[in-house]
């Protein structure tokens, strides 16, 4: 019963894109910026992994590979001016790493997005289209399910 | 002449702790929270590295080792409730990664620190004492200079 389970807040706020070898890839349900969250599929609901430094060296190397792949693909697809990559977790304790494509024209620039953008859920059509783009650019590392 | 040079804003806002194999370790001159910035010593002033995904896989693996070491040591030394680790760079384009020890009692909790804490420079004594603690906990990975 010691199984990985996504935190209920992440479950509620995101769409499931797919799984990489280590991380679950999620689309944040906020249309302000392309915003992907990676969650290492480690720990359990009772005993979640909270910090990147809890990963073994092998898991850490795999994580940075998946994170860099995710950021590079998003930057290229959306022609981002900057990628913001952050492990915060002050509210949701389960380790999750934000990957946000930023633009000089986005409403929070140059401030970070957290606390500086409105809740702006995707319409159903936009969510579907964004998911399709993400599954396509992430294809190389997505496990077949 | 294609030499690594710290960005002038980082130079102004931080104290030099020392160099790891890949990253320069800097103490942010803000006494609100223990706040270390790692800067991979790559690129040049003319052509700075801006994104983590520009690192080679080997540099990426080394980076995550140094970052996790830095975060784990800070968390243990200051008994942090959470480490916030972030590569933002919307203002200072040279790649630099924040490592901030956060506490449920700090003035920005649970929001991120960026934009949410006052400029609070260290007194000379505090800066010296903090640098001493950091050099001591980072000793294992600091290059001898």
């Amino acid at each position: 019963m010691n199984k990985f389970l996504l935190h209920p807040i992440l479950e509620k706020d995101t769409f499931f894109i797919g799984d990489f070898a280590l991380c679950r890839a999620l689309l944040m349900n906020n249309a302000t910026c392309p915003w992907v969250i990676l969650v290492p599929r480690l720990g359990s609901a009772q005993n979640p992994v909270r910090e990147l430094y809890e990963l073994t060296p092998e898991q850490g190397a795999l994580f940075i590979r998946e994170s860099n792949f995710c950021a590079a693909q998003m930057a290229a697809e959306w022609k981002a001016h900057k990628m913001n990559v952050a492990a915060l977790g002050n509210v949701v304790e389960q380790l999750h790493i934000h990957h946000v494509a930023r633009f000089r024209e986005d409403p929070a620039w140059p401030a970070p997005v957290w606390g500086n953008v409105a809740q702006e859920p995707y319409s159903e059509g936009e969510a579907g289209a964004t998911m399709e783009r993400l599954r396509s650019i992430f294809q190389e590392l997505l496990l077949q399910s």
Side-chain angles (χ1 to χ4, degrees), chain A residues 29-119:
Chain A
N29 188 12
N30 189 317
T32 313
C33 296
W35 185 336
V36 168
I37 294 179
L38 295 187
V39 182
R41 299 197 313 283
L42 300 168
S44 64
Q46 293 74 37
N47 194 18
V49 170
R50 298 174 69 238
E51 300 277 2
L52 276 172
Y53 63 74
E54 295 175 45
L55 273 54
T56 66
E58 293 69 29
Q59 291 166 343
L62 190 52
F63 165 74
I64 198 76
R65 217 153 74 209
E66 295 181 356
S67 171
N68 283 346
F69 170 80
C70 168
Q73 295 293 93
M74 291 176 71
E77 174 73 12
W78 277 280
K79 303 193 190 343
H81 297 131
K82 190 71 190 67
M83 291 302 300
N84 287 177
V85 178
L88 304 175
N90 304 336
V91 177
V92 172
E93 63 169 356
Q94 183 177 53
L95 177 62
H96 61 286
I97 301 91
H98 300 271
H99 295 70
V100 191
R102 302 298 309 276
F103 305 89
R104 286 186 282 269
E105 308 76 31
D106 75 41
W109 184 270
V113 286
W114 305 277
N116 296 314
V117 295
Q119 289 206 356

Side-chain angles (χ1 to χ4, degrees), chain A residues 2-4 9 18 24-25 34 37 41 43 63 76 79 85 91 107 110-111 119 121-122 126 131 139:
Chain A
N2 216 29
K3 220 170 130 267
F4 169 76
I9 295 183
R24 176 150 300 173
I37 294 179
R41 299 197 313 283
F63 165 74
K79 303 193 190 343
V85 178
V91 177
Q119 289 206 356
Y122 282 104
E126 288 170 332
M131 294 289 284
Q139 193 173 15

